[in-house]
Amino acid sequence: MGIGLKKKDVLLALIILCVIGFTVLIRTYIGGAGANRVVIKVNGAIQGVYSLAEDREIEINEGTNILKIKNGEADMVEADCPDQLCVNQKPVSLDHESLICLPNRVVVEVESKEESEYDAVTN
Amino acid sequence: MKSKVAYFGVFTSLALIFSYVETLIPVNFGIPGVKIGLANLIIVTALYKMRLPDVFLLSVVRVVLSGFIFGNYFSIIYSLAGGILSLAVMAFLKRAGGFSVTGVSIAGGTFHNIGQLLVAMLVVETFSVIYYVPVLLAAGMLTGFVIGVTANEILKRLTAVK
């Protein structure tokens, strides 16, 4: 059986691969080291900022979600939503990584101190 | 297509069955939203067998029904955004010509994920989801490829349906 790829198919695949490569570059360039805290947002409003250096458990949104910080990583350990996507997700620790619980509109974002000050200025 | 209603029913039920089979496969790639998208196999096949408005309707009916049965209110919105964008891009490439079934399906797979990502960005009001773009694109490309090759083989054997 032949897959029957045509010239345009290959071109399309190459374009997508280029976009992937480009976004990975942006990601590693902007993200990476220097991340040391998580920002918890509910409905886009900041609920709290916590250091990743300190092991602790945080109740978000009056207990709909529970976030655990351990060994410099943040992990969602409990959520009352049916899909449990954020709970199944791997722990985050790199700059700009995030845990998102869509049904409860909870966003947990990793960020570095320096950059958020920069954001505050540009905003 | 002679008995349009009958074929529409068959395609709809097939898409629903594939959605069900998908819920039985415990895939967790550590990234939310990454799925094989088995039901898209039916959509891609239908794209080459039915008129575009019918495929569009099929896609919407499939998303809404499978959302009510296996998912929730949120999964319907995401799947709808992904499904409609993916179908639009696939229909465009098919009409543009020069693409094989596999190529059209690869584009469909990637844009399905892009559509869902856009809705996610709107709902949670954050741009940080953009950091999942590389993973989602790669996943969409891979699943699109698998679906495309399979759909190609199905279409070769489905000559009786016209």
Side-chain angles (χ1 to χ4, degrees):
Chain A
M1 75 172 226
I3 296 169
L5 279 182
K6 293 183 187 169
K7 216 190 255 171
K8 279 189 180 176
D9 296 338
V10 179
L11 196 69
L12 174 79
L14 284 178
I15 292 173
I16 300 174
L17 282 176
C18 283
V19 175
I20 294 174
F22 188 65
T23 43
V24 167
L25 268 182
I26 294 179
R27 207 173 118 132
T28 44
Y29 184 68
I30 302 175
N36 46 23
R37 59 181 195 176
V38 285
V39 177
I40 298 171
K41 285 182 198 168
V42 179
N43 261 330
I46 295 179
Q47 295 274 305
V49 181
Y50 301 89
S51 169
L52 275 175
E54 205 179 313
D55 290 1
R56 63 184 297 175
E57 264 188 30
I58 303 152
E59 273 193 14
I60 307 169
N61 217 2
E62 285 152 10
T64 61
N65 295 61
I66 296 175
L67 183 79
K68 196 176 186 176
I69 296 178
K70 211 185 166 192
N71 303 328
E73 289 184 326
D75 191 17
M76 197 72 85
V77 287
E78 246 183 85
D80 66 354
C81 57
D83 55 22
Q84 298 290 307
L85 285 176
C86 57
V87 178
N88 289 330
Q89 209 186 326
K90 289 179 198 148
V92 293
S93 59
L94 295 175
D95 200 2
H96 292 295
E97 274 193 309
S98 56
L99 291 165
I100 295 167
C101 176
L102 290 170
N104 293 334
R105 308 212 168 175
V106 172
V107 180
V108 177
E109 251 182 280
V110 180
E111 61 165 50
S112 56
K113 267 189 187 123
E114 299 74 32
E115 199 178 58
S116 58
E117 278 165 20
Y118 183 69
D119 277 352
V121 175
T122 50
N123 280 343
Chain B
M1 206 176 266
K2 232 190 226 165
S3 42
K4 214 173 100 179
V5 177
Y7 279 123
F8 193 88
V10 171
F11 273 122
T12 309
S13 44
L14 270 175
L16 276 180
I17 288 167
F18 278 148
S19 300
Y20 173 63
V21 171
E22 179 131 35
T23 62
L24 297 179
I25 308 171
V27 265
N28 176 23
F29 297 96
I31 310 287
V34 175
K35 284 199 298 181
I36 305 171
L38 280 177
N40 286 332
L41 183 58
I42 301 302
I43 304 296
V44 174
T45 310
L47 187 65
Y48 284 87
K49 285 291 176 190
M50 296 162 90
R51 282 171 48 244
L52 188 57
D54 295 336
V55 188
F56 181 78
L57 188 62
L58 174 70
S59 182
V60 172
V61 167
R62 163 332 284 144
V63 167
V64 172
L65 286 181
S66 70
F68 275 127
I69 302 173
F70 313 113
N72 51 52
Y73 162 68
F74 278 94
S75 62
I76 293 179
I77 298 179
Y78 294 115
S79 306
L80 217 50
I84 290 173
L85 187 65
S86 148
L87 184 59
V89 171
M90 288 198 291
F92 175 75
L93 289 191
K94 189 192 158 215
R95 188 161 290 184
F99 291 94
S100 72
V101 179
T102 312
V104 167
S105 174
I106 288 176
T110 41
F111 275 92
H112 201 280
N113 287 350
I114 291 174
Q116 295 191 325
L117 196 73
L118 289 177
V119 177
M121 269 163 60
L122 285 178
V123 171
V124 295
E125 292 167 26
T126 176
F127 287 103
S128 65
V129 279
I130 212 129
Y131 286 85
Y132 294 111
V133 165
V135 196
L136 286 175
L137 283 183
M141 216 178 135
L142 192 71
T143 55
F145 178 75
V146 174
I147 297 283
V149 171
T150 319
N152 198 25
E153 291 302 309
I154 291 177
L155 284 166
K156 273 190 212 161
R157 288 158 178 78
L158 214 66
T159 42
V161 181
K162 214 144 184 11

